[in-house]
Amino acid sequence: MPTQVKIDESWRTQLNTEFEKPYFESLIDFVKKEYKTATVYPPGKEIFHAFDACHFENVRVVIIGQDPYHGPGQANGLCFSVRDGVRIPPSLVNIFKEIRNDLAKPIPTSGDLERWARQGVLLLNATLTVQAASPGSHQNKGWEQFTDAVIKKISDKKENVVFLLWGAYAQKKGEIIDRHKHHVLMSAHPSPFSADRGFFGCKHFSKANEYLKSKGLREIDW
């Protein structure tokens, strides 16, 4: 079974036992059928893009999202990110606004966050696939168990990682993080429905960098 999962070798080493569990086999069967019979995002080759763009040994920051975007051409396997040339979604607009206010950086024209991933930011959705125009359609099929295992592996095997938990869903998922070894920052979700209830003004981007710097680690160029 593990040979069927196309994922960066640094993660395969960490997650091999997960790929062999019955739930994961069922999940892969479900996902394969969905890709054959429906429109599913992101494209199959980008399901594990977050892991391929940010290798295990490079992880310094983890941002937890929920579902991939379910509109045409949006999802690229990185949470909150859209491919180049796609209109920037409202939550990401708010993330860029907070970075501007926090770090005085101009708002980018592209919503592709791969440049963050390449610096060590794991942009992890809880569910890695979704059916077109049907948010939540691939929830409770096994992805959440897999991404919990990813978070636990980072928590157990690494130290001094910054976790950004935006909104109740991410905060609940982050309960397994060892707070003694890692730095956890929590706020409201950047969605337009909640950003003004604590996301705006959270200064998570400067705080993350301050923590990394205090540990002698390279800061992120947000």
Side-chain angles (χ1 to χ4, degrees), residues 7-49:
I7 194 169
D8 174 73
E9 201 53 43
S10 68
W11 287 102
R12 182 184 298 286
T13 306
Q14 299 296 331
L15 299 169
N16 243 338
T17 54
E18 215 58 34
F19 297 145
E20 290 167 350
K21 290 180 180 175
Y23 89 86
F24 196 85
E25 297 202 22
S26 303
L27 168 63
I28 292 301
D29 286 345
F30 165 77
V31 168
K32 280 181 174 171
K33 282 186 190 121
E34 283 284 285
Y35 273 92
K36 278 180 188 156
T37 58
T39 302
V40 178
Y41 301 124
K45 67 182 188 305
E46 293 184 337
I47 293 173
F48 295 107
H49 186 191

Side-chain angles (χ1 to χ4, degrees), residues 122-138:
L122 182 67
L123 295 159
L124 182 67
N125 273 318
T127 304
L128 299 190
T129 54
V130 69
Q131 202 177 106
S134 185
S137 50
H138 286 189

Side-chain angles (χ1 to χ4, degrees), residues 17-162:
T17 54
E18 215 58 34
F19 297 145
E20 290 167 350
K21 290 180 180 175
Y23 89 86
F24 196 85
E25 297 202 22
S26 303
L27 168 63
I28 292 301
D29 286 345
F30 165 77
V31 168
K32 280 181 174 171
K33 282 186 190 121
E34 283 284 285
Y35 273 92
K36 278 180 188 156
T37 58
T39 302
V40 178
Y41 301 124
K45 67 182 188 305
E46 293 184 337
I47 293 173
F48 295 107
H49 186 191
F51 303 91
D52 294 332
C54 179
H55 299 172
F56 182 78
E57 61 273 11
N58 295 337
V59 175
R60 285 179 288 150
V61 178
V62 179
I63 299 177
I64 298 175
Q66 196 162 350
D67 253 13
Y69 295 118
H70 55 268
Q74 290 182 301
N76 66 353
L78 309 174
C79 74
F80 293 105
S81 173
V82 288
R83 58 187 73 248
D84 228 356
V86 173
R87 185 171 163 271
I88 299 176
S91 290
L92 185 52
V93 168
N94 287 339
I95 290 168
F96 287 157
K97 282 180 182 172
E98 177 58 24
I99 291 171
R100 179 190 62 192
N101 297 339
D102 186 13
L103 298 170
K105 291 174 84 80
I107 290 180
T109 53
S110 168
D112 189 345
L113 302 181
E114 180 156 345
R115 63 188 185 82
W116 292 2
R118 297 287 174 199
Q119 296 179 71
V121 182
L122 182 67
L123 295 159
L124 182 67
N125 273 318
T127 304
L128 299 190
T129 54
V130 69
Q131 202 177 106
S134 185
S137 50
H138 286 189
Q139 289 176 6
N140 304 314
K141 303 293 184 185
W143 278 132
E144 295 91 341
Q145 188 174 339
F146 173 70
T147 50
D148 279 352
V150 170
I151 293 164
K152 181 128 182 32
K153 190 67 76 171
I154 294 168
S155 178
D156 290 351
K157 291 283 189 77
K158 295 181 73 75
E159 53 187 38
N160 303 330
V161 174
V162 182

